[in-house]
Amino acid sequence: NRVGSITCKVAMLYSEILNQMDVKHQIFDLSHLPNDFIFSNFDDTSTADFVNQVDQYIIKADRFIVISPEYHGSYPGIFKAFIDCIGNEGIKEKKVALVGVSTGRAGNLRGLDHLSALFHHLRAEVYSSKPKLSVVHKLFNEQDVLDDPDTLKLIQNQINGFLTFWFTLVSLGSSFDPNNFFCLMTLST
């Protein structure tokens, strides 16, 4: 993430809320991918660093909260390249919640639609509540604290609903490993 990335600030807010709820999770920041991951982990080739990151953040996670900024009316291309490198096996049948981040008015509405289509194609279950955080740069104060009560309530409701959604699917027979966790993915670089 860029220094001062708003997407990273949103991820940290989600992390704080999950910590308060005692939900085990970790943050996967795409900026930590190897610089050459696209070229060195494609067409049946892979590097140990990339494989370790995929295992830690993707394979071992049961569910994801993906926080995506708007890049030219969609989500960042680096995420599509990442998915192309890992394929669908690490994503298939997992549960995904999406969050759009934008300094504009639509909160990455189109990007969330594109991400929903991508995750459905990969056979993941996408939670229907998708906060679209518009003019997000104005929601944080000088201390980088989100001080908009309506947005905070929206985020808390999404997390609570996503936990209920996930537990409902588990009770209906989806696989569950209590040692697995949430993975917050920040898509900006």
Side-chain angles (χ1 to χ4, degrees):
N1 284 322
R2 293 184 299 258
V3 174
S5 162
I6 295 172
T7 304
C8 188
K9 291 176 188 178
V10 172
M12 295 310 295
L13 174 62
Y14 269 78
S15 180
E16 288 173 25
I17 294 169
L18 291 170
N19 282 333
Q20 291 168 3
M21 299 173 74
D22 291 323
V23 175
K24 185 178 173 184
H25 67 282
Q26 57 185 345
I27 296 176
F28 179 39
D29 183 339
L30 293 184
S31 70
H32 296 137
L33 286 168
N35 288 338
D36 67 341
F37 84 91
I38 296 171
F39 305 106
S40 57
N41 296 283
F42 204 74
D43 284 335
D44 298 325
T45 62
S46 59
T47 61
D49 186 28
F50 184 79
V51 169
N52 290 338
Q53 287 188 36
V54 170
D55 184 59
Q56 177 182 350
Y57 295 108
I58 306 301
I59 303 301
K60 290 183 178 174
D62 282 333
R63 51 224 184 267
F64 306 105
I65 297 176
V66 178
I67 302 168
S68 176
E70 180 178 350
Y71 274 43
H72 303 289
S74 191
Y75 60 89
I78 197 76
F79 184 67
K80 179 64 168 79
F82 174 71
I83 293 296
D84 288 344
C85 288
I86 66 170
N88 74 330
E89 289 306 311
I91 305 291
K92 183 171 55 174
E93 298 179 5
K94 296 197 178 179
K95 305 350 166 214
V96 180
L98 302 174
V99 183
V101 174
S102 172
T103 56
R105 295 177 300 173
N108 196 14
L109 174 66
R110 286 189 191 113
L112 294 180
D113 287 345
H114 298 162
L115 280 168
S116 293
L118 172 68
F119 281 113
H120 283 138
H121 176 76
L122 297 173
R123 297 178 46 207
E125 299 294 334
V126 179
Y127 181 54
S128 61
S129 174
K130 302 173 195 133
K132 295 158 231 21
L133 306 183
S134 304
V135 292
V136 70
H137 59 292
K138 295 181 179 180
L139 299 177
F140 288 88
N141 63 24
E142 295 80 29
Q143 292 77 35
D144 287 335
V145 174
L146 189 135
D147 61 3
D148 181 68
D150 292 336
T151 302
L152 190 56
K153 183 176 173 102
L154 179 70
I155 290 169
Q156 290 170 328
N157 287 342
Q158 183 203 28
I159 291 172
N160 289 330
F162 186 52
L163 287 171
T164 302
F165 167 75
W166 182 76
F167 283 121
T168 300
L169 291 173
V170 167
S171 70
L172 293 174
S174 290
S175 62
F176 168 65
D177 180 345
N179 296 314
N180 289 359
F181 44 79
F182 271 100
C183 179
L184 299 174
M185 287 194 270
T186 62
L187 303 190
S188 66
T189 54

